[in-house]
């Protein structure tokens, strides 16, 4: 049967950020198929172009699948074969930038600064918020591979390098960085780090042992402070991080 929604993604596999796009499409469970723009000549000469085939033949085709919309990496090529064919068949089309904006338009977006601190293979900010019950959706890179795990919470946590140069991140979502009012600060002591509600050192919140990895220490404290600013409780933060110092 004809798919309810299936995207034809037209993009070079070498395009910057395309792996993140694929991860997001899979994470939000949008069905898609992909084609390289350089394959246009092959498509032009093919006798099995699904856009020109009867529906019964489309469903049997091993080369082309029926789709409901076309999403393309760049809108600079007006004569792009795929765009022309989609237009002739009345198939909706939009650039990847618009698709990403539509996915994130009602979300609260927080950017994960890089290099980030990972805990159990995912960003520290996402780990704390998830353990605290915020259920954020997280888009991040680990060991060269992009991941997207969608959950039901309002926050989307996205690596700052994702779609670098393609999308203006300040326009994404209902609240973009620096939308969080940064108030929490910290003081590093010999064996512990103390957190305070304000930069003037007022409103003592509590302390944690020093971060186990010295090279990650300041980045980790900045992330923990951001969790306070979002509204995560001190107890939830301690519970989320307790295993780090279990053997100390």
């Amino acid at each position: 049967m004809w798919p309810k929604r299936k995207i034809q993604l037209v993009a070079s596999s070498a395009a910057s950020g395309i792996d993140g796009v694929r991860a997001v499409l899979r994470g939000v469970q949008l069905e898609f198929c992909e084609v390289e723009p350089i394959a246009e000549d092959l498509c032009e000469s093919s006798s099995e172009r699904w856009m020109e085939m009867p529906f019964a033949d489309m469903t049997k085709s091993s080369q082309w699948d029926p789709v409901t919309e076309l999403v393309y990496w760049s809108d600079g090529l007006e004569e792009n074969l795929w765009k022309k064919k989609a237009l002739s068949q009345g198939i909706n089309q939009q650039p990847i930038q618009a698709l990403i904006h539509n996915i994130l338009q009602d979300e609260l977006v927080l950017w994960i600064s890089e290099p980030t601190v990972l805990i159990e293979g995912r960003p520290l900010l996402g780990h704390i918020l998830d353990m605290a019950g915020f259920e954020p959706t997280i888009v991040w890179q680990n060991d060269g591979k992009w991941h997207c795990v969608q959950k039901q919470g309002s926050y989307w946590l996205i690596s700052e390098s994702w779609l670098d140069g393609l999308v203006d991140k300040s326009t994404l979502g209902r609240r973009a960085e620096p939308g969080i009012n940064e108030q929490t600060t910290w003081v590093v002591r010999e064996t512990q780090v103390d957190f305070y509600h304000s930069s003037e050192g007022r409103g003592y919140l509590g302390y944690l042992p020093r971060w186990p990895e010295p090279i990650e220490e300041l980045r980790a404290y900045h992330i923990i402070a951001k969790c306070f600013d979002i509204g995560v409780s001190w107890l939830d933060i301690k519970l989320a991080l307790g295993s780090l110092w279990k053997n100390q």
Side-chain angles (χ1 to χ4, degrees):
M1 59 180 295
W2 193 273
K4 183 177 181 180
R5 186 180 187 190
K6 184 174 182 179
I7 291 170
Q8 176 73 69
L9 182 62
V10 181
S12 168
S13 58
S16 174
I18 189 62
D19 289 338
V21 173
R22 294 190 191 102
V24 168
L25 293 179
R26 295 188 186 103
V28 300
Q29 299 182 358
L30 276 179
E31 188 180 0
F32 71 98
C33 53
E34 193 169 357
V35 66
E36 291 264 358
I38 59 175
E40 290 177 3
D41 291 340
L42 295 175
C43 176
E44 186 71 61
S45 61
S46 173
S47 60
E48 200 175 28
R49 288 172 289 176
W50 67 262
M51 291 181 185
E52 298 177 356
M53 295 166 58
F55 177 77
D57 293 337
M58 290 182 193
T59 58
K60 298 176 183 177
S61 171
S62 60
Q63 185 174 1
W64 309 116
D65 293 325
V67 299
T68 60
E69 61 190 278
L70 182 80
V71 176
Y72 52 91
W73 184 255
S74 171
D75 59 356
L77 300 176
E78 294 300 331
E79 298 305 314
N80 181 281
L81 172 67
W82 289 95
K83 293 175 65 178
K84 289 193 296 183
K85 292 299 180 184
L87 184 63
S88 70
Q89 297 295 319
I91 294 176
N92 293 331
Q93 53 183 290
Q94 62 178 324
I96 285 177
Q97 297 97 317
L99 177 68
I100 298 303
H101 275 277
N102 291 337
I103 290 174
L104 296 175
Q105 63 181 349
D106 295 323
E107 310 298 339
L108 300 175
V109 180
L110 292 175
W111 293 96
I112 303 171
S113 300
E114 295 172 298
T116 191
V117 178
L118 296 177
I119 180 169
E120 298 181 3
R122 57 182 175 171
L124 174 62
L125 179 59
H127 173 79
I128 295 175
L129 292 184
D130 197 38
M131 295 291 286
F134 283 66
E135 294 192 330
T137 295
I138 314 174
V139 181
W140 82 101
Q141 188 180 30
N142 185 22
D143 293 332
K145 183 178 180 181
W146 280 91
H147 308 267
C148 175
V149 176
Q150 186 185 38
K151 294 197 174 182
Q152 299 304 309
S154 298
Y155 282 107
W156 274 64
L157 313 182
I158 302 176
S159 291
E160 220 165 2
S161 66
W162 185 54
L163 297 182
D164 187 29
L166 180 69
V167 174
D168 179 3
K169 65 176 184 286
S170 67
T171 65
L172 293 177
R174 289 191 284 130
R175 185 197 307 175
E177 293 289 351
I180 296 297
N181 185 19
E182 296 183 357
Q183 295 181 336
T184 304
T185 189
W186 65 88
V187 176
V188 179
R189 310 204 184 273
E190 183 176 356
T191 61
Q192 68 186 50
V193 55
D194 296 335
F195 288 91
Y196 297 89
H197 183 64
S198 71
S199 58
E200 288 77 24
R202 296 195 300 268
Y204 182 67
L205 295 169
Y207 76 92
L208 290 171
R210 294 279 296 270
W211 194 257
E213 298 293 334
I215 195 172
E216 299 177 344
E217 193 169 18
L218 293 182
R219 294 199 302 270
Y221 298 154
H222 185 271
I223 292 168
I224 295 169
K226 179 180 289 190
C227 291
F228 277 118
D229 292 334
I230 292 171
V232 184
S233 72
W234 175 239
L235 177 60
D236 282 334
I237 291 175
K238 288 185 67 176
L239 290 174
L241 300 177
S243 62
L244 290 174
W245 299 283
K246 188 174 295 183
N247 297 324
Q248 293 187 5

